[in-house]
Amino acid sequence: MRVVFVGVGEAFDETLPNTSLWVEAPATAGTTGTADAGRRRTVLLDCGFTAAAALFACPALTEADRATGPEAVWISHFHGDHYFGLPYLLARWHEAGRTAPLAVWGGAGAEGRLPAVVDLAYPSLRAKLTFPLCFAAVRPGEDFSLAGLAARTAVTGHGAPCLALRLETGAGTLYYSGDGAPTEACRELARGCDLVVQEAYGLGAGIAGHGSVAEALEAARTAGAGTLALVHVRRELRREQAGEIRRLVKDSEVRAYLPEPGEIFVVN
């Protein structure tokens, strides 16, 4: 499993692109036909208004992957810093002549909210796309296949309905929080994951609708996570108190870090 941090920033960080992850891994056993067994599958997790441009400039992605995109896109919730980059993506892949189908997944309302933002940006784009496009919604706790990777979700403690995602691949397991403090269901969803990517907007608990570094460390510890990546950290906090964040990490029982845009995490 190879995870590229396309962006790691919060909504309004002027220096770090919105949090967005590119995931590539072999399919989970039993989710695809025999002919597809072991084939590399690709998924993009979230793409906000500043993440789309970052994807096309990301040096950790091949030129072919940037030009044609992944097999599926996952949208954790309907805030602009998590899905307003979708029209940009579709228009660029259309210009590049993509022909492979694309599935865009999200929570309740995805079939309406996702095409609406595309039509608002480019009213005629969907009618002329060079590739088949579909939108699909999933319920919390429901098992589904995301581009051949076994997936399941749980509701986070965010201000808007947000689904954390667990991906089981043929080469490792990933938990991605989207936004919000980890709930009990999220901790269970993250149990035993090789990589837990958790929103940590604040330093300590108590920020309405958001998680924190302290909560992320405790959730990763109780879940037995292999590695914790702290993302979506409040811009002033990351710039001015990075040393304190690293102290909390050092004093914890968790292997954790602050990824940078373009950084790669690999599970063999």
Side-chain angles (χ1 to χ4, degrees):
M1 179 177 70
R2 182 174 184 264
V3 179
V4 177
F5 291 89
V6 175
V8 298
E10 42 103 324
F12 310 118
D13 194 318
E14 70 276 21
T15 60
L16 297 174
N18 301 145
T19 297
S20 179
L21 279 63
W22 173 282
V23 182
E24 54 187 64
T28 314
T31 58
T32 61
T34 305
D36 285 336
R39 181 171 72 83
R40 187 186 78 132
R41 315 310 293 257
T42 54
V43 180
L44 183 68
L45 308 183
D46 277 342
C47 189
F49 27 61
T50 63
L55 182 143
F56 291 101
C58 183
L61 298 178
T62 67
E63 184 177 348
D65 281 339
R66 293 195 302 266
T68 59
E71 296 173 70
V73 175
W74 166 256
I75 302 298
S76 64
H77 65 294
F78 306 118
H79 277 165
D81 58 312
H82 291 262
Y83 84 115
F84 273 21
L86 187 58
Y88 187 133
L89 296 179
L90 300 183
R92 278 289 295 261
W93 294 332
H94 168 73
E95 286 187 347
R98 175 186 173 128
T99 58
L102 178 69
V104 185
W105 290 79
E111 302 101 320
R113 300 287 291 271
L114 296 176
V117 74
V118 177
D119 293 345
L120 180 63
Y122 300 109
S124 63
L125 177 61
R126 285 200 295 141
K128 64 183 182 182
L129 284 176
T130 57
F131 54 91
L133 172 67
C134 70
F135 301 97
V138 65
R139 295 186 297 272
E142 179 181 0
D143 291 326
F144 66 108
S145 177
L146 188 60
L149 306 177
R152 194 166 72 254
T153 65
V155 178
T156 73
H158 192 39
C162 177
L163 293 180
L165 178 74
R166 179 187 178 104
L167 283 181
E168 301 271 357
T169 83
T173 310
L174 167 71
Y175 170 91
Y176 170 61
S177 69
D179 279 1
T183 62
E184 190 56 42
C186 291
R187 293 184 183 91
E188 186 57 37
L189 193 69
R191 191 166 301 281
C193 281
D194 295 290
L195 176 63
V196 168
V197 181
Q198 173 64 47
E199 182 250 300
Y201 190 75
L203 201 58
I207 301 172
H210 284 287
S212 67
V213 174
E215 290 169 297
L217 288 168
E218 178 59 18
R221 184 190 67 79
T222 58
T227 301
L228 169 67
L230 300 166
V231 298
H232 202 284
V233 178
R234 182 165 53 87
R235 55 195 181 277
E236 297 92 348
L237 177 62
R238 180 161 176 147
R239 285 196 289 265
E240 299 168 11
Q241 297 189 55
E244 178 62 13
I245 294 173
R246 293 188 176 95
R247 185 193 66 77
L248 288 173
V249 167
K250 183 178 179 181
D251 291 345
S252 75
E253 302 172 20
V254 178
R255 183 190 299 119
Y257 72 115
L258 282 168
E260 296 291 337
E263 197 161 342
I264 301 168
F265 182 91
V266 177
V267 176
N268 294 316

